[in-house]
Amino acid sequence: MVTDNLSDTLKKLKITAVDRTDDSLEGCLDCLLQALTQNNMETSEKIQGSGILQVFASLLIPQSSCTAKVANVIAEIAKNEFMRIPCVDAGLISPLVQLLNSKDQEVLLQTGRALGNICYDSHEGRSAVDQAGGAQIVVDHLRSLCSKTDPASEKLLTVFCGMLMNYSNEKNDSLQAQLINMGVIPTLVKLLGIHCQNAALTEMCLVAFGNLAELESSKEQFASTNIAEELVKLFKKQIEHDKREMVFEVLAPLAENDAIKLQLVESGLVECLLEIVQQKVDSDKEEDIAELKTASDLMVLLLLGDESMQKLFEGGKGNVFQRVLSWIPSNNHQLQLAGALAIANFARNDGNCIHMVDNGIVEKLMDLLDRHVEDGNVTVQHAALSALRNLAIPVVNKAKMLSAGVTEAVLKFLKSEMPPVQFKLLGTLRMLIDAQAEAAEQLGKNVKLVERLVEWCEAKDHAGVMGESNRLLSALIRHSKSKDVIKTIVQSGGIKHLVTMATSEHVIMQNEALVALALIAALELGTAEKDLESAQLVQILHRLLADERSAPEIKYNSMVLICALMGSESLHKEVQDLAFLDVVSKLRSHENKSVAQQASLTEQRLAVES
C-alpha cells in the first residue's frame, strides 16, 4: 500500500516542486515523512532511485513555508549511511548551511538535524559542511544560546552540539583544529556548567570534548577554562557505570597536561577516585574491575605532574599518599600495580625518596616483590623495581636500602626472561652500588650475576637491556676497584663487551667503559691481556683519538688507558705499530687544558718506551 502511494507522491512532488504550490507540496512531504516513519530504509532507497534529491535542493529556500519539512525529510533519510554521500552529491549541503542563518526555530532545528546526520560517520559529509562554512555558524549559535535554559533553546543547543560532535569525529585533525581555533572549547565548557542537568546535552558535550582533547593544541585552551571543576562536579553526580566511563574518557587525555593535572587535583578528583577504588576493590563484576583499573590508572597519571604529585605527597603525611600506600599490600593485582607505580612517581625528588625510605616503604615493596617471584606478574614486578630504582637515587638511601636486603630481593629476578623486568633490575642494582665499594665488590664476585650480565650484553633485540648490562659491568669495576671482581668478569667473558662499549654513541657510556678498562689495566693487566688484544682495544683507542668528533673526556681517558697498557708486552707492541705519537702530539694544542696536558704526558711516555 505504502509503496504505490509513495511512487505517486514522488511523481507528484516533482511536478509540485516546479509549480511551487505550497499546499500540495506540504501534503506530499507529509506523505513522505509518514512513509519514512513506517520504513525508513525502504523509503530512502525509493527516494534515492526517484532522482528527487536534486529537487530538494531547490526547495530549501528561506521564504517557503515548507522548508522545515524538507529539512526534516533530509534529516530522516540521512539516518541511513548509504544516503549521506547522495545528499552531498545532490548539492543539499550549501542550501542547508544557508538555512542556518534563519530566524525560524523549527527551520534551525530540522536543518541542524539534517547536517548533523549527514556528518555522522561520513568524511564526505563533513568535508562538504566544512567547505560551505557550516561550523562557524553553528559555533556562533552555541555561543549566543549557551546561557538560555528555556526548553526551546535547550532543544536547539542539543541539536547543534550533536552536529559538532559528529563534525569533530574526524580521523584527520584539521576539522578539530579548526573548531579549536574558532574558540569552541570555552563555549562548550560554559555550556556544560549551565546545562549539567540536561543528560542528552551533557553527553554530547563530553563526546565533543573527547574528540577535541586528542589534539595537543586543545589542552592549552582547556587549561584556561574551568573544565576540571565542571568534569569533577559532573563525575560526582554520576551513578551509572556507563556515564562515569564517558567522563573518564575525557579526563584521561586531558590529564596528560600538567596544568590540568593540578586543576583536577585541586577540584577534588583524587578523593572521587579513591572512593571508587574503595567501593570496587572486592567486586568481581567485570564493569567494576574495569572501573577500578581506570580509576587507579588515572590516579597514577595525576602523579606524573611535578606540582600535582608534590601537592598530594604533603610531606608524606597526606591522606592520599597514605591510601595509595595501603594498595601495595592488598590482594588485588591492579591495586598493587597502581600502588607501586604511584610510589615510583612520588619518588621523583630526593626529599620524597628520603622520607619514604625512612618510613619503611622499602620493606613494603620487597614484600610485594616476594609475592611475585613465583607467579610472576610482570607488570607488578616492573613497577615495584621502578619504585626501588628511583628510591635508590639519593646517596643517603643507598646504604639503608642495601642493609635492608634490597640486592637479595632484586637478584631473585635474575632468571626473568622479560626485558622490561631485566631492564629495571639492572637499573636498580646500578643505582644501589653507586659509590658503595663493598656492595659493588660483593655483587661483582657473584658469578651467576656476572654471567647473566655477559649474556644480556648480547641482547641485540633489546637495546635498553644491552646498554644497562654494559653499564652495570663497568660500574661493578669502577665502584669496587677490586682485583677479584675484575677476575670474575674476565673469566665470564665480559672484557669484549666493555671494549665494545667504548665505541657506544653515548658519551657517558663510552666514558664509563674507558674508566673501567683503565682500572683493569692498572690492577689486572696480565689476566685481561689476551681478551683486550682479541677485542682490538688498541685499534679502537687509535680511532677514538684520531676522530675529531670524540668528546674531550673520551680523548683524555683514551690516553690514560694507552699509558696503562704499556705494561703489557704484546699490547705495547700494538701501540708502537700504530703510530700513536702522531695522533697524540696533535692533541698537545687541544683547546681543553686537561686533554692538552695528558697529551704531553702520553707523548713523553710513548717516546721513552719506543
Side-chain angles (χ1 to χ4, degrees):
M1 167 70 191
V2 172
T3 327
D4 301 343
N5 268 359
L6 189 58
S7 312
D8 296 344
T9 303
L10 289 170
K11 279 185 197 137
K12 198 167 157 196
L13 237 177
K14 276 190 178 167
I15 302 162
T16 5
V18 182
D19 310 344
R20 290 275 159 78
T21 44
D22 277 2
D23 294 347
S24 46
L25 190 57
E26 192 153 352
C28 295
L29 292 168
D30 284 336
C31 262
L32 276 189
L33 285 167
Q34 199 187 347
L36 283 162
T37 314
Q38 285 170 348
N39 189 335
N40 191 321
M41 195 166 159
E42 197 182 314
T43 308
S44 295
E45 282 169 350
K46 286 266 171 6
I47 290 176
Q48 191 188 353
S50 71
I52 198 91
L53 280 179
Q54 281 71 11
V55 177
F56 284 163
S58 64
L59 294 176
L60 289 169
I61 45 171
Q63 51 273 48
S64 156
S65 61
C66 295
T67 306
K69 276 193 178 151
V70 179
N72 188 358
V73 170
I74 297 169
E76 287 303 318
I77 60 178
K79 287 177 177 173
N80 300 288
E81 195 181 347
F82 65 87
M83 290 302 288
R84 288 170 202 149
I85 293 177
C87 284
V88 173
D89 293 343
L92 299 181
I93 304 300
S94 184
L96 281 169
V97 168
Q98 291 311 305
L99 288 175
L100 287 173
N101 295 308
S102 165
K103 295 279 175 279
D104 182 308
Q105 172 97 12
E106 185 62 18
V107 170
L108 285 175
L109 205 60
Q110 299 302 345
T111 305
R113 284 185 61 229
L115 288 168
N117 290 351
I118 291 170
C119 285
Y120 182 74
D121 244 356
S122 162
H123 172 69
E124 293 74 13
R126 291 189 281 256
S127 296
V129 172
D130 173 28
Q131 276 155 5
Q136 183 67 63
I137 308 174
V138 172
V139 171
D140 292 342
H141 274 302
L142 283 179
R143 207 166 277 146
S144 61
L145 287 166
C146 179
S147 310
K148 298 185 176 164
T149 51
D150 59 285
S153 301
E154 289 221 335
K155 222 169 168 180
L156 264 183
L157 278 169
T158 309
V159 166
F160 286 146
C161 215
M163 180 191 153
L164 281 192
M165 166 179 93
N166 291 344
Y167 181 75
S168 61
N169 194 13
E170 177 70 56
K171 287 288 171 284
N172 72 21
D173 301 342
S174 59
L175 297 185
Q176 286 125 318
Q178 172 199 69
L179 288 172
I180 291 165
N181 292 338
M182 289 174 185
V184 75
I185 288 174
T187 304
L188 287 175
V189 174
K190 188 175 160 193
L191 198 129
L192 185 68
I194 295 170
H195 300 273
C196 55
Q197 302 303 330
N198 181 329
L201 196 47
T202 307
E203 271 179 41
M204 286 174 180
C205 266
L206 287 174
V207 177
F209 285 149
N211 295 340
L212 297 169
E214 300 295 322
L215 249 73
E216 261 323 293
S217 57
S218 75
K219 312 251 166 94
E220 312 263 293
Q221 271 208 30
F222 275 119
S224 64
T225 68
N226 63 336
I227 181 79
E229 195 187 325
E230 293 299 352
L231 286 175
V232 173
K233 213 160 59 185
L234 188 66
F235 189 76
K236 283 179 179 162
K237 280 193 356 213
Q238 305 309 326
I239 299 147
E240 294 161 51
H241 168 77
D242 297 349
K243 298 279 193 293
R244 282 213 288 240
E245 199 60 37
M246 284 187 82
V247 186
F248 269 138
E249 278 170 14
V250 183
L251 285 170
L254 288 181
E256 284 166 16
N257 175 285
D258 281 358
I260 299 176
K261 281 188 182 77
L262 189 59
Q263 293 168 6
L264 288 168
V265 168
E266 287 170 343
S267 304
L269 177 61
V270 173
E271 288 70 15
C272 301
L273 297 176
L274 289 172
E275 202 173 312
I276 288 181
V277 167
Q278 205 167 1
Q279 288 166 4
K280 311 289 179 189
V281 66
D282 297 320
S283 167
D284 41 20
K285 280 183 23 202
E286 208 164 296
E287 61 177 39
D288 288 344
I289 294 170
E291 199 164 344
L292 178 81
K293 178 173 172 21
T294 311
S296 51
D297 283 349
L298 188 50
M299 182 77 208
V300 172
L301 180 59
L302 291 176
L303 292 173
L304 275 173
D306 286 338
E307 281 186 86
S308 48
M309 177 273 287
Q310 213 45 49
K311 192 175 170 62
L312 293 170
F313 189 65
E314 293 180 66
K317 305 273 182 287
N319 166 40
V320 174
F321 172 65
Q322 297 301 331
R323 289 280 285 278
V324 166
L325 219 52
S326 72
W327 293 355
I328 294 176
S330 94
N331 288 320
N332 183 304
H333 282 189
Q334 173 57 34
L335 279 194
Q336 295 170 358
L337 170 65
L341 288 172
I343 297 302
N345 286 343
F346 279 126
R348 284 211 313 280
N349 62 51
D350 284 6
N352 293 5
C353 288
I354 293 166
H355 179 90
M356 288 193 279
V357 168
D358 287 346
N359 284 278
I361 187 70
V362 172
E363 289 69 17
K364 284 192 171 67
L365 288 166
M366 291 192 332
D367 289 345
L368 177 60
L369 275 175
D370 244 3
R371 296 163 70 181
H372 287 280
V373 176
E374 294 315 320
D375 75 333
N377 181 313
V378 175
T379 47
V380 176
Q381 292 172 359
H382 178 259
L385 289 167
S386 298
L388 286 171
R389 179 194 175 281
N390 289 1
L391 290 166
I393 293 172
V395 180
V396 294
N397 281 356
K398 297 181 198 293
K400 292 176 187 165
M401 290 175 71
L402 287 166
S403 61
V406 173
T407 2
E408 294 73 17
V410 169
L411 284 172
K412 290 179 186 164
F413 295 91
L414 256 190
K415 52 183 189 289
S416 170
E417 291 304 330
M418 292 303 194
V421 174
Q422 297 167 352
F423 180 72
K424 286 296 176 189
L425 171 149
L426 292 163
T428 307
L429 291 176
R430 189 164 63 78
M431 285 302 156
L432 280 171
I433 61 165
D434 192 4
Q436 307 293 313
E438 204 180 313
E441 177 159 13
Q442 207 182 343
L443 279 177
K445 292 192 293 196
N446 179 333
V447 178
K448 263 198 182 133
L449 169 66
V450 174
E451 284 177 348
R452 195 70 161 132
L453 291 183
V454 170
E455 183 189 328
W456 285 341
C457 283
E458 288 163 16
K460 297 276 185 289
D461 305 342
H462 300 287
V465 173
M466 198 161 100
E468 277 291 344
S469 302
N470 278 305
R471 292 189 75 184
L472 184 52
L473 265 186
S474 148
L476 291 169
I477 296 171
R478 287 182 298 113
H479 298 305
S480 71
K481 302 185 175 55
S482 147
K483 290 180 168 232
D484 289 339
V485 170
I486 294 170
K487 284 180 188 155
T488 309
I489 290 175
V490 172
Q491 280 154 12
S492 305
I495 296 297
K496 60 175 184 291
H497 296 300
L498 290 170
V499 175
T500 309
M501 183 180 167
T503 62
S504 160
E505 66 228 27
H506 304 291
V507 174
I508 190 162
M509 285 175 67
Q510 278 186 294
N511 216 20
E512 287 172 357
L514 290 169
V515 173
L517 288 164
L519 282 165
I520 293 170
L523 296 169
E524 276 295 328
L525 186 54
T527 316
E529 182 179 48
K530 280 199 177 58
D531 288 354
L532 294 171
E533 214 174 315
S534 61
Q536 299 196 305
L537 174 61
V538 175
Q539 290 78 347
I540 285 171
L541 292 173
H542 190 275
R543 269 213 317 272
L544 289 175
L545 288 172
D547 189 343
E548 303 269 296
R549 293 163 309 185
S550 295
E553 59 268 43
I554 301 303
K555 296 200 157 149
Y556 177 86
N557 283 324
S558 296
M559 290 187 283
V560 170
L561 184 49
I562 285 294
C563 295
L565 295 175
M566 301 300 255
S568 148
E569 211 171 303
S570 52
L571 292 168
H572 183 172
K573 187 178 178 315
E574 286 190 7
V575 171
Q576 284 176 318
D577 294 348
L578 264 177
F580 264 86
L581 264 170
D582 307 351
V583 199
V584 172
S585 56
K586 278 189 192 139
L587 292 174
R588 279 205 337 238
S589 53
H590 196 278
E591 57 189 356
N592 182 301
K593 274 220 180 77
S594 308
V595 172
Q597 270 174 333
Q598 187 57 42
S600 299
L601 291 172
T602 309
E603 189 179 40
Q604 286 164 19
R605 184 80 193 267
L606 288 168
V608 170
E609 303 273 353
S610 58

